[in-house]
Amino acid sequence: EVTRLLTELFNAFDEAAASLDVLALDCIGDLYVAVCGLTTPRMDHTKRVVDLGLEMLNILQRLNNRYNPNLKLCIGIDAGESTAAVIDTKRLNYHLWGETLAISHQLNRAAESNTIRVTEEVHDCVRDLYTFKSAKDIEVPEVGRLTSWMLYREGTGRPSLNDTVQEIEAIVSLGEVPV
């Protein structure tokens, strides 16, 4: 039953990654490694990876609701350069290493259950699209102390167009001039 559950979970993660054009590279122990922009450069690679993280949390919640295993997920995201090598001649298999991967791994280890922890670089790229709160700095061996942020899972936290219209109507009805 555990094998079936994990197979369903990782297949759903892989499908979500593929739908966002994010390359699911490997499962290393309990780590799921994915990257965007490795094979096809993308201007929105950071957003795609953050969206994958959010979808992974949604997938996990649906699976927990259906089977009640109470699985938890910690996600760490960094953006930057990595060293990649193609290994194997029969099946395309990438191997990644470098500072970006080490930072992502440390963010993953520092993240609370069912949260997404990101570096300042990721935060700066997508801060207008999502809501973040400041998190504790992380210490990465051979890199040093880095600022990190936690993404609010509930979504963007930004007002919808309908909320904005209601706010303008409320301001107008109060006789105030919108700024």
Side-chain angles (χ1 to χ4, degrees):
E1 186 177 323
V2 171
T3 303
R4 183 182 55 77
L5 184 68
L6 291 177
T7 299
E8 183 177 338
L9 179 67
F10 287 118
N11 284 343
F13 287 172
D14 289 346
E15 288 173 19
S19 75
L20 290 163
D21 202 22
V22 174
L23 182 60
L25 285 182
D26 209 350
C27 293
I28 305 168
D30 63 348
L31 293 177
Y32 184 89
V33 181
V35 63
C36 187
L38 179 67
T39 57
T40 305
R42 295 218 163 264
M43 295 296 293
D44 63 344
H45 61 89
T46 304
K47 180 188 181 313
R48 287 173 181 267
V49 172
V50 171
D51 286 345
L52 175 60
L54 288 167
E55 183 56 23
M56 290 171 76
L57 289 172
N58 290 335
I59 289 166
L60 185 75
Q61 184 175 12
R62 287 192 299 268
L63 194 99
N64 279 335
N65 290 342
R66 187 177 319 138
Y67 301 113
N68 200 25
N70 197 26
L71 296 175
K72 296 181 179 4
L73 188 61
C74 301
I75 299 173
I77 301 174
D78 187 25
E81 295 180 8
S82 290
T83 304
V86 177
I87 307 206
D88 199 346
T89 56
K90 295 180 180 136
R91 191 185 111 181
L92 195 59
N93 186 9
Y94 291 97
H95 182 73
L96 281 184
W97 65 92
E99 189 174 282
T100 302
L101 196 61
I103 292 169
S104 295
H105 184 253
Q106 199 64 31
L107 286 163
N108 168 270
R109 291 180 56 184
E112 297 172 20
S113 293
N114 300 323
T115 64
I116 299 174
R117 195 93 172 256
V118 304
T119 57
E120 190 158 26
E121 183 175 355
V122 171
H123 169 262
D124 290 349
C125 285
V126 296
R127 70 176 167 217
D128 293 334
L129 304 174
Y130 309 96
T131 302
F132 294 88
K133 71 175 182 177
S134 182
K136 291 182 184 176
D137 291 353
I138 60 166
E139 190 70 36
V140 181
E142 299 181 25
V143 174
R145 183 172 293 281
L146 298 174
T147 301
S148 71
W149 297 83
M150 190 177 342
L151 177 67
Y152 276 107
R153 182 170 173 220
E154 289 77 28
T156 63
R158 307 277 183 227
S160 69
L161 178 60
N162 190 41
D163 293 337
T164 304
V165 169
Q166 288 176 355
E167 182 180 329
I168 291 170
E169 288 172 351
I171 291 170
V172 170
S173 69
L174 293 172
E176 297 178 45
V177 178
V179 179

